[in-house]
Amino acid sequence: MKLSRALAALLMATVAFPAVAQEISDGKVKIGILNDQSGVYADFGGKWSVEAAKMAAEDFGGKVKDMPIEIVSADHQNKADIASNIARQWYDTEQVDAIMELTTSSVALAVQGISQEKKKIDIVTGAATTDLTGKACSPYGFHWAYDTHALAVGTGGALVQQGGDTWFFLTADYAFGYSLEEQTSKYVISKGGKVLGSVRHPLATTDFSSFLLQAQSSGAKVVGLANAGLDTANAIKQAAEFGIVAGGQRMAALLFTLAEVHGLGLEAAQGLTLTEGFYWDRDDDSRAWAKKFFDRTGRMPNMIQAGTYSAVLQYLKAIDKAGTDETEAVAKNLHEMPVEDVFARGGKVGPNGRMIHDMYLMEVKKPSESTQPWDYYKVLATIPGDEAYIKPAEAGCPLVK
């Protein structure tokens, strides 16, 4: 009798153990931050996004379901093949559960495809193309901080309303640039404006002279910079040398963040209109969180870094609610849970993976208007999320019926 009881207890323990062990795979939750840490977008997200991810893990308590949280990172050098190799290695041999940030649209599209193949979650905060939640959407892919449509509605819409009804684009020659030019062009035309032309430049261009001369000779009222990071900063600096703004044309920085304004300086950046999904000086909560970020990095966060914090935090919340890091269960919670944190107020995730939240139309202050370090923006308008983003049913995502 005693032997049979002992065998029964052993059998129950053997059956029960795998169920417990499978709640959190590999005994930890491991998140990879994959982005540009040495190139033109190094300040845009870079190592500062890694710090934001670490802050999220720490603020969550360092553990989820009593299992440790580990943040790893790598530099993809803005090359899709390098990013793909890192993603496969992380998934196949290094037990990474999810990959996030993914600055550069070509990289994000490649890694989202691999993540879908491997049934792993990716949350994009650094890339902009709407294809991520459109024709290239994934049941495990999420797009968090902003996208090209939101930028077009914000900056493009504002300038057309102010009389900037003819445009010429300087466009980065890859998926992000094409998408940003296309979305902004559509919005400008829908508001009664015209696009007079465009020219494409390679990533990490240092000499914009020939491109700027074409923009100048077009006679367009607005020169739309469908690029980002150092490319945008260099174009703005060289445009001043060519007297483009002095000659009456306006420069529209379609993707420009606090990090790039800081790098350029208020003297050169003053008067620029731009759109971001976060501003550190928005309210008491954002100021308190930004101070913590500043204390560890020496800089204030932009929407990419704050968005990465939000994405990591929401992923951990989804695991906690599901009781497991199994992809299907976590993805279901990410789709269903509201997003309420220092980055997003009343955020919601559509069936195509697009996180819908308010965006902010900004104008860069004059040096005389800035009262403290990093006091760079005047908030001109809040753009409700449902206006900023493409409706999921219209995004072209095959997952949305």
Side-chain angles (χ1 to χ4, degrees):
M1 189 70 169
K2 289 182 179 179
L3 181 60
S4 62
R5 285 179 181 173
L7 286 171
L10 180 62
L11 180 62
M12 288 178 67
T14 303
V15 171
F17 178 75
V20 173
Q22 287 172 10
E23 288 179 0
I24 302 295
S25 61
D26 308 307
K28 62 180 177 294
V29 172
K30 193 170 182 179
I31 300 167
I33 304 300
L34 184 56
N35 62 7
D36 175 11
Q37 297 178 18
S38 59
V40 292
Y41 302 142
D43 276 350
F44 182 72
K47 60 185 179 181
W48 319 115
S49 286
V50 180
E51 288 302 312
K54 290 178 179 177
M55 285 178 67
E58 292 164 13
D59 288 350
F60 198 77
K63 293 183 177 181
V64 57
K65 293 300 176 186
D66 293 324
M67 294 297 174
I69 303 163
E70 183 179 352
I71 305 294
V72 296
S73 68
D75 182 354
H76 60 47
Q77 301 173 49
N78 294 310
K79 296 178 180 177
D81 57 341
I82 292 176
S84 297
N85 289 337
I86 293 169
R88 289 188 185 280
Q89 181 178 334
W90 275 358
Y91 286 149
D92 293 344
T93 65
E94 297 186 23
Q95 294 81 50
V96 169
D97 298 297
I99 298 178
M100 302 187 193
E101 220 270 39
L102 295 168
T103 298
T104 313
S105 292
S106 54
V107 163
L109 289 165
V111 173
Q112 181 152 294
I114 293 169
S115 300
Q116 182 171 1
E117 172 195 330
K118 302 289 185 181
K119 291 192 68 174
K120 297 284 190 176
I121 284 171
D122 69 277
I123 306 181
V124 177
T125 58
T129 179
T130 53
D131 285 350
L132 288 161
T133 50
K135 63 184 181 182
C137 69
S138 161
Y140 316 119
F142 299 86
H143 201 177
W144 220 250
Y146 73 107
D147 65 22
T148 51
H149 188 269
L151 299 176
V153 170
T155 308
L159 290 176
V160 172
Q161 288 175 354
Q162 293 172 16
D165 55 3
T166 56
W167 286 61
F168 186 94
F169 289 92
L170 268 65
T171 302
D173 193 11
Y174 73 103
F176 151 69
Y178 312 152
S179 181
L180 187 50
E181 179 188 330
E182 178 188 11
Q183 295 289 337
T184 308
S185 295
K186 285 180 179 177
Y187 202 75
V188 166
I189 293 167
S190 75
K191 295 298 179 181
K194 294 180 180 179
V195 176
L196 303 185
S198 66
V199 62
R200 292 176 175 176
H201 68 80
L203 182 67
T205 299
T206 56
D207 183 3
F208 280 88
S209 56
S210 64
F211 310 121
L212 289 167
L213 285 171
Q214 291 180 62
Q216 195 171 40
S217 64
S218 74
K221 294 178 183 177
V222 179
V223 179
L225 300 176
N227 49 22
L230 285 177
D231 281 343
T232 306
N234 286 333
I236 291 169
K237 287 178 185 175
Q238 292 173 38
E241 296 169 7
F242 278 87
I244 286 180
V245 175
Q249 291 176 292
R250 296 190 68 171
M251 301 292 289
L254 295 170
L255 177 50
F256 211 55
T257 76
L258 194 75
E260 289 76 51
V261 172
H262 181 72
L264 191 58
L266 285 184
E267 189 64 41
Q270 61 181 307
L272 282 174
T273 303
L274 55 90
T275 303
E276 284 213 55
F278 175 84
Y279 184 39
W280 71 269
D281 202 19
R282 182 189 60 201
D283 55 35
D284 288 343
D285 288 343
S286 63
R287 283 186 284 271
W289 180 80
K291 183 181 184 304
K292 289 171 58 181
F293 185 90
F294 183 89
D295 288 345
R296 67 193 288 161
T297 65
R299 60 196 294 120
M300 287 298 184
N302 65 6
M303 68 174 171
I304 311 306
Q305 294 133 14
T308 300
Y309 174 89
S310 172
V312 172
L313 195 64
Q314 192 75 357
Y315 176 67
L316 296 173
K317 289 177 182 178
I319 292 174
D320 189 57
K321 183 177 179 182
T324 176
D325 62 356
E326 191 275 323
T327 298
E328 297 284 357
V330 175
K332 181 175 184 293
N333 281 333
L334 285 170
H335 278 287
E336 294 176 353
M337 292 165 51
V339 183
E340 193 68 42
D341 56 34
V342 73
F343 175 77
R345 299 283 188 255
K348 57 187 178 182
V349 177
N352 60 340
R354 173 68 259 173
M355 200 272 277
I356 299 166
H357 60 97
D358 292 348
M359 298 289 289
Y360 304 96
L361 180 66
M362 314 285 199
E363 182 179 292
V364 179
K365 291 182 175 181
K366 299 174 183 175
S368 61
E369 295 173 320
S370 179
T371 60
Q372 60 178 312
W374 296 91
D375 175 28
Y376 295 157
Y377 289 161
K378 290 184 285 189
V379 180
L380 300 180
T382 298
I383 306 160
D386 288 333
E387 294 179 18
Y389 295 102
I390 301 172
K391 292 178 174 58
E394 299 172 3
C397 172
L399 300 173
V400 181
K401 305 301 182 186

